[in-house]
Amino acid sequence: MRILGIETSCDETSAAVVEDGKKILSNIILSQADIHKEYGGVVPEIASRHHIENIMFVIDASLKEANLKLKDIDAVAVTQGPGLMGALMVGLSAAKAISMAKGIKIIAVNHIEAHLYANILDNKLIKYPFIGLVVSGAHSSLIYVEELGKYEILGHTIDDAAGESFDKVAKILGLPYPGGPVIDKLSKEGDKDYVVFPRPCMHDGTLNFSFSGLKTAVLYHVNKLKNKGELTHKEVRDISASFQEAVCDVLVKKSLEAANIKNVNNIVVGGGVSLNSRLREKFLLEAVEQDKFVYFPSPKLCMDNAAMIAGLAFEKNNHGFYSELDIDANPSLQIQSWMEKGSI
Ligand code: KG4
Ligand code: ZN
């Protein structure tokens, strides 16, 4: 079964063709990051307009790369949420039009769930149950995944998302958007022990995250240096590394704590922040000590992409879950179980 996936939840316009939920025939991602850079972050209205301009071109490119025509597609999958309302609506409208014109099923997918599925798409060895950590520009969640489609939310951020904190701290340091990749790069030449920034929620007895206090601590530190005229390039690198270490510390510790509470050995990480090199290194180092296995998707499947949408849609369709044409975009869609225990 060939599924055309469409993803437009934030600032990437993406279309992909995936065969039988596993074989990626194409995965075209058109990022708007350079456009939003000018504003220091994603401007929702501008994102929607660019999705409208690019969506047909991106869909055509994904079919072309897969060497297929629309008539060869068996179903269309699309991100329903969470994300930006206008941006989501562009993808949904395109998917509905294709579904209607071609008389094929439309399958709506949760973006967060798809970020976890990106790992399954990439690594067929992953076994359920596992702890899922989704860390992106808008979400930080710890999820117990008992089996495909069966979820229990263990913790989430109570303020800023992990990726959002990277973006905000980059802005404080005068670095461009998106902040994550820049801070990651600068940190490689910085001293992670230069400042011991707070690790909010680290020992609060919950599996929740909080990153806004950490961001404020960086802001105070930077302002102090600026007032003294001492914010040098070296300071920027050291502050980047120290901030990144604090974020990674909390993410790794809480994920391992969740794995121990649920007595599982596998941890699966997804979302844009899962590209972070220190996060990967720290996870691997600390997981080994506790006999846990940690999985990350390949770089192209970490960021927002339509292959993860089409892949998950195949599994949903296989289990009889598909959508109607009157489906709405839902900017605050929560991850929900759709598979009853024992039904696979
Ligand atoms: O999953 P994603 O592409 O989009 C959303 O669903 O939000 O994640 C984007 C986020 C941005 O905040 C970006 O700064 C962050 O992922 N990011 C990183 C890295 N690459 C992207 N954060 C830390 N280190 C990176 N290497
Ligand atoms: Zn995402």
Side-chain angles (χ1 to χ4, degrees), residues 136-139 157 159-169 215 273:
S136 70
H139 299 273
T157 179
D159 40 54
D160 292 349
E164 188 179 359
S165 75
F166 272 94
D167 296 336
K168 286 181 174 172
V169 164
K215 170 205 66 195
V273 182

Side-chain angles (χ1 to χ4, degrees), residues 4-8 12-17 26-31 50-65 306:
L4 171 69
I6 298 175
E7 154 64 41
T8 61
E12 268 94 25
T13 315
S14 179
V17 182
S26 64
N27 189 18
I28 306 292
I29 305 169
L30 190 64
S31 173
H50 282 280
H51 285 310
I52 292 172
E53 271 174 30
N54 295 326
I55 188 76
M56 291 319 295
F57 162 76
V58 170
I59 290 173
D60 278 349
S62 74
L63 290 169
K64 203 165 172 193
E65 189 167 306

Side-chain angles (χ1 to χ4, degrees), residues 12 67 78 87 91 115-116 126 134 144 157 162 185 193 199 218 223 225 231 237 246 260 282 313 341:
E12 268 94 25
N67 218 358
V78 63
H115 268 308
L116 286 181
I126 296 175
V134 180
Y144 173 60
T157 179
K185 194 164 167 226
D193 302 317
R199 270 79 167 148
V218 175
N223 281 348
L225 289 172
L231 186 66
R237 287 194 297 268
N260 287 326
K282 216 171 158 57
K341 193 172 176 347

Side-chain angles (χ1 to χ4, degrees), residues 9-10 12 111 115 135-138 163-164 166-167 177-181 184 244 271-273 275-277 302-304:
S9 66
C10 191
E12 268 94 25
H111 181 85
H115 268 308
V135 270
S136 70
E164 188 179 359
F166 272 94
D167 296 336
Y177 170 85
D184 192 353
Q244 177 177 274
V273 182
L275 279 164
N276 187 271
S277 54
C302 285
M303 58 196 297
D304 287 350

